[in-house]
Amino acid sequence: MRNVTIDNVTDVVIESLGRHQEIPARQREIMESLIRHLHGFCKDVRLTHGEFLQACDYLGRAGAICSDKRQEFILLGDILGVEVLVDMLTNPIQGEETISTVLGPFFRENAPVMPKGATTVRKNFEGQETVFVEGYVRDVEGAPIAGAIIDIWEDAPNGLYENHDHDQPDYNLRGRFETDANGHYALRAIRPVPYPIPSDETAGELIRYMGHHSMRPGHLHMMVTRDGYRSLISQIYDSSSPHLDDDSVFAVKEALIGEFRKAPEGADTDLTLRFDFILPRAEAKRMAAE
Ligand code: BEZ
Ligand code: FE
């Protein structure tokens, strides 16, 4: 094709897919839709060449700051609501199961395995509020799931996750806990505080370009896994936290809001939080996808 025009360029590019080399059907589907949407976007906003070059420079700078400590593209996806959308598409709600939400960029593998009831706090902060967190993990019929692993992580009262703060001990506020024969888990932690997502560098540029802010409401991250069940990546939100209605990454769900209550007299924490999880069998996901 020698006469590419505004009207035919989209079809011309799509027709090139697989022309010189066979490509899998899924790859074709992804590329065809990507090309249609990208071209549609450029036409919609009448993107100028100067803006195109600015975007290329921006993406180059975003890539250059990625490291094993910072995945800038996940962050950009979060700010644009893409991670929460992809999570909802990947984990459609099928019934009574606990709803998932975004993983975010602060998860670390291999958190310490701790006995039931232990604390994840390895450094005390002035003004922190300790919380006893407990609940049950059950299947959709209400039967207890023993041996489920609850992997939990949260920010410190200074708003920083341990791996982004040299002054916190390794794996502070992270731990893995197992449910007992009744499906019960328990641990001690602190009340999570609202915090800004990393907003220096290109993530901050995007937030400012959108005229948005960077704050997230206080939340505990939880990953719940057990062989034979669908793994759950989710967060529990503090009902009294600001930003439940204007989360910078759009990840709050009503069903994930928990009550941090004043602990009873004589308790060894300031607060208590009860939160139960329901996991569907792993096959349910496969069947739904079919
Ligand atoms: C988080 O909850 O840790 C998070 C999620 C998305 C972007 C940044 C942080
Ligand atoms: Fe978080």
Side-chain angles (χ1 to χ4, degrees):
M1 164 61 71
R2 296 186 179 189
N3 290 316
V4 172
T5 65
I6 289 178
D7 292 331
N8 70 14
V9 62
T10 305
D11 289 337
V12 168
V13 178
I14 287 170
E15 279 160 22
S16 78
L17 294 172
R19 184 180 294 152
H20 290 285
Q21 192 184 308
E22 191 72 14
I23 55 172
R26 175 66 176 154
Q27 214 164 298
R28 176 180 293 276
E29 184 185 11
I30 286 174
M31 286 310 300
E32 179 167 341
S33 179
L34 178 69
I35 292 160
R36 280 197 199 290
H37 282 88
L38 265 181
H39 286 211
F41 161 73
C42 294
K43 287 179 183 174
D44 252 16
V45 301
R46 305 293 303 177
L47 198 75
T48 67
H49 199 251
E51 288 164 338
F52 169 71
L53 293 180
Q54 270 183 329
C56 293
D57 173 66
Y58 176 80
L59 291 173
R61 287 185 291 110
I65 58 169
C66 287
S67 69
D68 57 353
K69 293 250 181 227
R70 181 161 176 161
Q71 218 313 342
E72 192 71 356
F73 288 101
I74 295 185
L75 216 44
L76 302 184
D78 284 315
I79 294 164
L80 292 168
V82 174
E83 191 182 7
V84 74
L85 171 60
V86 170
D87 173 56
M88 291 186 289
L89 293 169
T90 308
N91 298 300
I93 302 168
Q94 289 159 26
E96 295 304 305
E97 77 272 23
T98 305
I99 199 167
S100 63
T101 191
V102 302
L103 176 67
F106 299 121
F107 173 66
R108 277 183 79 188
E109 292 196 6
N110 304 318
V113 174
M114 295 185 169
K116 192 174 172 190
T119 182
T120 61
V121 180
R122 291 164 176 242
K123 173 180 174 174
N124 289 308
F125 282 79
E126 212 182 304
Q128 71 184 16
E129 289 179 278
T130 53
V131 58
F132 179 67
V133 186
E134 64 159 340
Y136 289 85
V137 181
R138 298 194 177 96
D139 68 15
V140 290
E141 271 93 38
I145 302 180
I149 302 296
I150 319 262
D151 197 330
I152 177 169
W153 67 105
E154 63 172 319
D155 65 330
N158 63 359
L160 294 173
Y161 285 79
E162 145 280 329
N163 51 340
H164 281 231
D165 182 1
H166 295 303
D167 294 330
Q168 287 183 52
D170 205 25
Y171 284 105
N172 188 39
L173 299 171
R174 296 176 190 268
R176 280 182 289 171
F177 297 84
E178 191 172 345
T179 54
D180 65 16
N182 298 318
H184 186 246
Y185 75 93
L187 59 100
R188 286 169 171 78
I190 55 170
R191 176 179 236 157
V193 300
Y195 67 87
I197 62 170
S199 39
D200 51 344
E201 309 278 0
T202 41
E205 277 179 58
L206 180 59
I207 291 170
R208 286 188 293 279
Y209 195 78
M210 290 169 67
H212 202 194
H213 66 76
S214 58
M215 294 303 293
R216 293 221 63 210
H219 57 274
L220 293 169
H221 290 265
M222 301 262 190
M223 186 183 288
V224 188
T225 49
R226 178 73 172 112
D227 281 354
Y229 294 87
R230 197 210 287 191
S231 298
L232 173 70
I233 293 171
S234 200
Q235 303 181 17
I236 305 172
Y237 294 93
D238 177 353
S239 63
S240 68
S241 176
H243 303 299
L244 288 172
D245 293 307
D246 65 342
D247 180 10
S248 58
V249 302
F250 315 98
V252 178
K253 318 266 174 162
E254 190 70 40
L256 297 177
I257 296 178
E259 299 289 334
F260 286 70
R261 298 178 202 278
K262 196 170 163 8
E265 202 66 31
D268 64 359
T269 57
D270 302 311
L271 305 163
T272 62
L273 169 70
R274 162 84 191 258
F275 203 90
D276 296 344
F277 296 96
I278 300 175
L279 301 186
R281 291 235 165 236
E283 312 84 68
K285 187 176 182 186
R286 275 207 303 277
M287 279 159 57
E290 278 160 17

